[in-house]
């Protein structure tokens, strides 16, 4: 696969199936799921930088497909800043079976969840680990968790292009990525770095979501672009990525997330996400 300069590709030689960019060598073998896991699609959610709502988008995408009748799980790969349990109000500790860890089921739609915060005695306890230990823990969330029958496993990546995202891209059989950005130029700059990383690793990018795109007044219905004008069309034109949806700043979503009740959220964005996956052809 050659770099696509028109769509923001790098001039570095593309990596051979998970190898290092610019170097020839054997491909890194993807980890196989365990005998108690049958996972059809693995979708990673990436942002490049923090603070753009990546975990929220991961949760919303999982909810959208679960409501459409799909069996869904979330692997929270953001070990040092896990948000998924809080969004779903999950406090139950995982149990075990046959030498494997069982994920926790969300209380509403039964979405399977695995996160470092579910394993800690105190959810406020920091995880102070170096990169290699974090990478091994992420791999264990794949190899040692009995995910069961899952149509879609979403992987909530930590921000940036460091050890953890690299581990996921090299080790897990990722079918595709969803990028999350915000209207600010800085967020767009950084998401382009993440996009180029995905291309170097030969990971398909399904599209992107522009989060915090606007705020709609509940009284008058007028929309305010409080983080600046939308740059979604510009990002799509410059990168070749498909725009999946524009998510507004929604106080209802914030309140439900804080209360651990994100599964109750209603928005046209959920329908847009479900429609995208079905039209894309992988939601089967």
């Amino acid at each position: 696969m050659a770099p696509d300069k028109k769509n923001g590709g790098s001039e570095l030689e593309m990596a051979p199936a998970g190898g290092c960019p610019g170097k020839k060598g054997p491909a890194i073998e993807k980890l196989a799921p365990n005998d108690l896991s049958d996972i059809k699609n693995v979708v990673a959610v990436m942002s490049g930088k923090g603070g753009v709502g990546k975990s929220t988008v991961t949760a919303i995408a999982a909810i959208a497909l679960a409501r459409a009748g799909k069996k869904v799980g979330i692997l929270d790969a953001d070990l040092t800043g896990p948000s998924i349990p809080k969004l779903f109000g999950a406090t139950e500790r995982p149990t075990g079976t046959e030498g494997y860890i069982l994920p926790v089921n969300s209380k509403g739609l039964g979405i399977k969840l695995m996160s470092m915060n579910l394993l800690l005695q105190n959810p406020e306890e920091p995880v102070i680990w170096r990169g290699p230990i974090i990478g091994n823990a992420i791999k264990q969330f794949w190899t040692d968790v009995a995910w069961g029958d899952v149509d879609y496993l979403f992987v909530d990546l930590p921000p940036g292009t460091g050890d953890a995202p690299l581990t996921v891209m090299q080790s897990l059989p990722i079918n595709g990525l969803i990028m999350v950005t915000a209207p600010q130029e800085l967020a767009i700059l950084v998401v382009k770095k993440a996009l180029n990383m995905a291309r170097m690793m030969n990971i398909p990018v399904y599209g992107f979501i522009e989060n915090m795109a606007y705020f709609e007044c509940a009284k008058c219905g007028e929309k305010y672009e409080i983080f600046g004008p939308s740059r979604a069309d510009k990002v799509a034109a410059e990168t070749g990525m498909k725009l999946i949806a524009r998510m507004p700043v929604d106080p209802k979503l914030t309140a439900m997330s804080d209360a651990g009740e994100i599964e109750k959220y209603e928005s046209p964005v959920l329908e847009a996400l479900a429609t995208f996956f079905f039209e894309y052809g992988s939601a089967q």
Side-chain angles (χ1 to χ4, degrees):
M1 178 178 177
D4 188 347
K5 296 180 182 178
K6 179 179 179 181
N7 288 336
S10 169
E11 293 185 9
L12 287 172
E13 184 177 354
M14 300 296 282
C20 296
K23 294 184 179 181
K24 297 287 186 180
I28 296 176
E29 185 176 355
K30 303 288 185 179
L31 295 173
N34 56 61
D35 293 338
L36 299 183
S37 300
D38 182 12
I39 302 168
K40 280 77 171 180
N41 296 283
V42 182
V43 180
V45 183
M46 191 176 190
S47 65
K49 73 180 296 293
V52 297
K54 169 186 51 60
S55 296
T56 300
V57 168
T58 301
I60 292 296
I63 291 167
L65 286 177
R67 288 182 182 175
K70 297 300 176 181
K71 299 173 183 176
V72 185
I74 299 178
L75 189 162
D76 189 354
D78 194 350
L79 269 60
T80 59
S83 302
I84 294 299
K86 174 65 176 176
L87 295 174
F88 286 89
T91 57
E92 179 185 349
R93 291 177 64 81
T95 57
T97 182
E98 301 180 35
Y100 294 103
I101 302 171
L102 289 173
V104 171
N105 292 327
S106 69
K107 54 191 177 185
L109 295 165
I111 296 171
K112 299 179 180 182
L113 310 173
M114 178 52 61
S115 172
M116 179 57 67
N117 254 23
L118 297 174
L119 301 173
L120 299 175
Q121 292 289 347
N122 179 2
E124 297 179 0
E125 179 183 345
V127 176
I128 309 174
W129 292 348
R130 295 189 183 276
I133 301 177
I134 290 176
N136 286 334
I138 292 172
K139 291 178 184 178
Q140 285 185 284
F141 279 1
W142 173 261
T143 59
D144 295 0
V145 174
W147 290 101
D149 186 11
V150 173
D151 296 313
Y152 277 87
L153 181 67
F154 287 93
V155 182
D156 184 16
L157 292 175
T161 55
D163 284 344
L166 181 61
T167 295
V168 171
M169 291 186 189
Q170 287 183 327
S171 303
L172 272 58
I174 304 294
N175 294 92
L177 276 164
I178 293 176
M179 292 287 180
V180 183
T181 187
Q184 301 98 318
E185 283 285 0
L186 177 60
I188 294 169
L189 171 66
V190 180
V191 84
K192 287 180 179 178
K193 291 179 180 289
L195 173 62
N196 282 332
M197 177 185 183
R199 285 174 172 164
M200 289 176 183
M201 302 301 296
N202 290 336
I203 304 295
V205 177
Y206 289 149
F208 75 101
I209 291 176
E210 184 182 64
N211 193 22
M212 301 180 285
Y214 58 88
F215 168 76
E216 184 172 348
C217 178
K219 293 182 179 180
C220 67
E222 187 171 352
K223 294 181 179 180
Y224 298 90
E225 295 178 320
I226 56 179
F227 291 107
S230 172
R231 294 177 173 85
D233 291 340
K234 177 182 177 183
V235 172
E238 291 182 355
T239 65
M241 287 193 294
K242 177 180 177 61
L243 173 63
I244 300 173
R246 297 177 69 232
M247 285 183 60
V249 176
D250 190 345
K252 292 184 295 183
L253 176 58
T254 302
M256 290 180 180
S257 298
D258 287 345
E261 298 180 341
I262 195 170
E263 287 174 288
K264 297 180 180 179
Y265 184 60
E266 298 289 346
S267 169
V269 173
L270 284 108
E271 183 178 349
L273 277 163
T275 299
F276 170 79
F277 275 105
F278 278 91
E279 289 182 348
Y280 200 89
S282 53
Q284 298 181 13

